[in-house]
Amino acid sequence: MHWLKLPDPRKNIALAFQDLPSAKAWLASQPQAQPMHMLAAIGLQIEAIEASTLPPAVAVELLNLLRKASVPAQDAIEPRYVRKALPMLDDDQRTFDVAQRLWQRLSTGYLRLAPHFPPNEKGVLLHRAACAVRMAQYCHFLAARECPALLDQLLFAILDQANSSGQLRQTVPDPDFPHLGDMSIAGHLAWAFMLRLVDPYRLSAPQLAVANRALSRWRELVNFQAMASDDHDDHSVDIGPLFGAPMPEGMPRWIEVRKVTRKIAQRIAALKAGESPESLKLGRELSAAACIRLLHDIEASLESHVDSHGTEIGEIELAFGAEFAYAAFTGEMIVQEGALDLGSASLAHQRTALFGFDQVTSLNTAVKKLNVPGENWLLVDGKAIRPADRKGARRQSPCLIASTSLGPPRLGVMVGLQSIPGGALAADLRWYTMRVEAGRLARQTVPGQAAPVVPVFLLHEGKECSLIVPSTAGIRLETGVTLEGTSVGHVMPTEVLERGIDFVRYAVNKQ
């Protein structure tokens, strides 16, 4: 493992204990009801142990104790940073930093100690290190923060050591994660590599939870190999590109996932036959149809491929949300009842700056010609970047976007939004290639009340149609919908094809 230099721990942190009894006493004195403060203190002590000259056996005992204390506290703070709008608020950012740093330092702590032990004892330390790297990586996926190259390097370092010492398939129980049962180092690594290949940033939080749960169940079905299998029935995936450089000789660079893809096929068949996701251990987050789409996506991701980046460069102005997308296509802005306060001078100034007019009609809903408000993003090799010094709203993905920067109006979805070093945001833009019509939902009105104007988009692909509506539109499957401003006046939603933060796309039948 001479190719990897572990990051040095800080050496100015005072170690609060020297042995197991004093460490237990220190833990008991920590604020158990304040998980953030407790984890921050534990994280510092993990780093202090890593920098100490304690006997290796004692250091391992202390790391194990702190690890056990960390797990319930980590579970308590996790919801604070899961897929929050980006850039994160400062408090959410601090929570994420505490969580991911603790797992990362645990991984390097165990890795630093592993060479001091014989192979049969080293396996347990490598197992703990693999678990910690996987958890640190998952923190980044949950928070939509770019995963640093160090974590990939640590996974390969563990793979290299475990393979060379014959410990890759050693299974051990993990009392801190009893629900996972006995696991091997290979299982942790396979789980981490497969989730990495799925491109978790493009998944919504519910999709990520289901994908992570499914891959955890199939982790031990994966084999690591030095060469791709030449059996046409096998399914070998090259993980070498994740290393980021030429891989050292003798390290396995292929994973054999045929048994995993067989499990995926079985789950898809069972879901189509009427079994529920929960009965198949996939959880409750997604419907059966959504699980089927996700499983197909996972299967497609488990292919060896070279990343093909787009070639677009320059600037692009993006309009976010259904109302601004509608304006991009029609030149008309929908102003909802109550959205603007007619009596506020400050809001009048804001309207002038944002919409180009300072008065709105006294009608409950109004339509105005205007320049569509948008944000300027940079296109770099097909990736959309919003530099840290460019102001804009906090964003989540997948979200509906539109643009007229590169010609006629285009409708699309921003996917894979993540924070990257320096405070910038990066995302992929996926444009719909179908013919798009912008229209409105026709709603029955109550005398004396104006129904809100709901923008919709009808997508035509040959004889097939799909309909995009705001996620708050209240449309139900198998219930007819009347449209205004489109060539098709009535449609019947039959299936949810796609669901984002602020929109839903339905397959529809024309009526």
Side-chain angles (χ1 to χ4, degrees), residues 248-487:
E249 291 291 331
M251 188 189 303
R253 66 171 295 160
W254 294 85
I255 55 174
E256 174 51 49
V257 297
R258 176 171 56 91
K259 293 180 180 179
V260 173
T261 55
R262 185 182 299 164
K263 288 288 187 182
I264 291 174
Q266 291 171 352
R267 294 298 189 278
I268 291 173
L271 290 166
K272 288 181 176 178
E275 291 196 49
S276 70
E278 189 175 7
S279 69
L280 297 172
K281 310 299 184 184
L282 295 173
R284 298 180 176 180
E285 291 89 346
L286 299 177
S287 67
C291 279
I292 290 173
R293 289 193 299 274
L294 176 61
L295 290 171
H296 279 306
D297 286 347
I298 293 174
E299 184 177 29
S301 299
L302 296 178
E303 299 285 350
S304 295
H305 59 276
V306 177
D307 290 336
S308 55
H309 298 290
T311 57
E312 292 178 309
I313 59 173
E315 289 209 3
I316 184 170
E317 186 176 18
L318 300 175
F320 287 84
E323 292 190 1
F324 286 172
Y326 176 88
F329 275 82
T330 66
E332 299 176 334
M333 173 60 68
I334 296 172
V335 180
Q336 302 289 5
E337 177 183 11
L340 299 174
D341 181 354
L342 301 180
S344 168
S346 63
L347 282 180
H349 288 298
Q350 294 175 28
R351 287 196 298 271
T352 301
L354 185 60
F355 300 126
F357 57 88
D358 65 352
Q359 293 294 324
V360 294
T361 172
S362 58
L363 295 177
N364 287 327
T365 61
V367 176
K368 290 289 179 181
K369 297 284 185 180
L370 74 160
N371 293 322
V372 181
E375 292 181 12
N376 288 320
W377 289 54
L378 298 177
L379 289 175
V380 182
D381 294 332
K383 181 80 73 173
I385 307 290
R386 193 178 82 183
D389 58 358
R390 291 198 180 181
K391 301 302 180 183
R394 297 170 63 225
R395 299 293 177 193
Q396 290 178 284
S397 72
C399 61
L400 197 65
I401 55 172
S403 180
T404 58
S405 292
L406 304 176
R410 290 192 292 176
L411 186 70
V413 179
M414 175 176 280
V415 296
L417 180 68
Q418 57 189 282
S419 291
I420 60 178
L425 302 182
D428 293 313
L429 308 181
R430 192 185 74 226
W431 300 106
Y432 291 111
T433 58
M434 310 84 150
R435 181 170 66 88
V436 179
E437 286 187 285
R440 303 170 301 281
L441 283 185
R443 295 289 180 91
Q444 291 184 343
T445 60
V446 177
Q449 296 182 9
V453 180
V454 180
V456 300
F457 302 90
L458 195 61
L459 280 57
H460 299 267
E461 189 169 25
K463 296 182 179 181
E464 302 298 323
C465 283
S466 59
L467 182 69
I468 292 179
V469 302
S471 54
T472 56
I475 285 180
R476 293 179 293 178
L477 294 177
E478 307 302 332
T479 299
V481 175
T482 301
L483 308 178
E484 296 176 344
T486 57
S487 59

Side-chain angles (χ1 to χ4, degrees), residues 32-350:
Q32 309 292 323
Q34 300 178 52
M36 263 289 288
H37 293 292
M38 185 172 174
L39 286 174
I42 290 175
L44 288 175
Q45 289 306 303
I46 289 172
E47 207 162 352
I49 293 169
E50 198 177 355
S52 74
T53 57
L54 290 171
V58 174
V60 168
E61 283 185 332
L62 296 177
L63 287 181
N64 289 343
L65 177 69
L66 297 182
R67 177 183 190 260
K68 183 178 184 63
S70 298
V71 173
Q74 287 274 12
D75 290 342
I77 70 169
E78 185 178 283
R80 302 185 194 178
Y81 59 83
V82 174
R83 293 302 169 94
K84 297 297 181 71
L86 301 177
M88 278 186 177
L89 297 176
D90 290 344
D91 285 348
D92 298 334
Q93 174 69 45
R94 282 191 288 270
T95 305
F96 162 76
D97 287 339
V98 166
Q100 68 85 24
R101 184 171 181 83
L102 186 145
W103 288 119
Q104 182 179 308
R105 293 314 319 193
L106 264 178
S107 69
T108 56
Y110 282 118
L111 269 177
R112 210 180 295 276
L113 290 167
H116 296 282
F117 293 86
N120 62 321
E121 296 178 41
K122 178 189 293 188
V124 176
L125 301 187
L126 294 178
H127 183 281
R128 297 287 169 88
C131 178
V133 179
R134 181 182 57 75
M135 294 293 288
Q137 183 189 70
Y138 195 54
C139 286
H140 283 83
F141 299 157
L142 288 171
R145 297 295 302 270
E146 184 179 49
C147 200
L150 173 64
L151 295 183
D152 287 327
Q153 295 289 303
L154 291 173
L155 289 174
F156 280 102
I158 296 165
L159 174 61
D160 192 18
Q161 285 199 54
N163 184 61
S164 61
S165 63
Q167 301 297 312
L168 195 57
R169 281 291 170 189
Q170 178 191 17
T171 59
V172 297
D174 191 339
D176 299 334
F177 295 91
H179 62 287
L180 295 178
D182 290 0
M183 284 187 65
S184 67
I185 298 168
H188 273 299
L189 297 177
W191 182 358
F193 281 127
M194 286 192 293
L195 193 58
R196 193 86 164 87
L197 291 169
V198 166
D199 188 8
Y201 298 105
R202 68 182 173 83
L203 302 179
S204 65
Q207 288 175 322
L208 178 58
V210 174
N212 187 58
R213 185 179 299 120
L215 295 176
S216 76
R217 294 183 61 80
W218 303 328
R219 62 188 185 261
E220 301 294 345
L221 302 178
V222 175
N223 289 320
F224 286 85
Q225 302 171 170
M227 301 289 292
S229 174
D230 56 6
D231 188 331
H232 72 277
D233 290 329
D234 285 345
H235 188 156
S236 300
V237 181
D238 184 7
I239 59 173
L242 296 177
F243 188 74
M247 288 185 64
E249 291 291 331
M251 188 189 303
R253 66 171 295 160
W254 294 85
I255 55 174
E256 174 51 49
V257 297
R258 176 171 56 91
K259 293 180 180 179
V260 173
T261 55
R262 185 182 299 164
K263 288 288 187 182
I264 291 174
Q266 291 171 352
R267 294 298 189 278
I268 291 173
L271 290 166
K272 288 181 176 178
E275 291 196 49
S276 70
E278 189 175 7
S279 69
L280 297 172
K281 310 299 184 184
L282 295 173
R284 298 180 176 180
E285 291 89 346
L286 299 177
S287 67
C291 279
I292 290 173
R293 289 193 299 274
L294 176 61
L295 290 171
H296 279 306
D297 286 347
I298 293 174
E299 184 177 29
S301 299
L302 296 178
E303 299 285 350
S304 295
H305 59 276
V306 177
D307 290 336
S308 55
H309 298 290
T311 57
E312 292 178 309
I313 59 173
E315 289 209 3
I316 184 170
E317 186 176 18
L318 300 175
F320 287 84
E323 292 190 1
F324 286 172
Y326 176 88
F329 275 82
T330 66
E332 299 176 334
M333 173 60 68
I334 296 172
V335 180
Q336 302 289 5
E337 177 183 11
L340 299 174
D341 181 354
L342 301 180
S344 168
S346 63
L347 282 180
H349 288 298
Q350 294 175 28

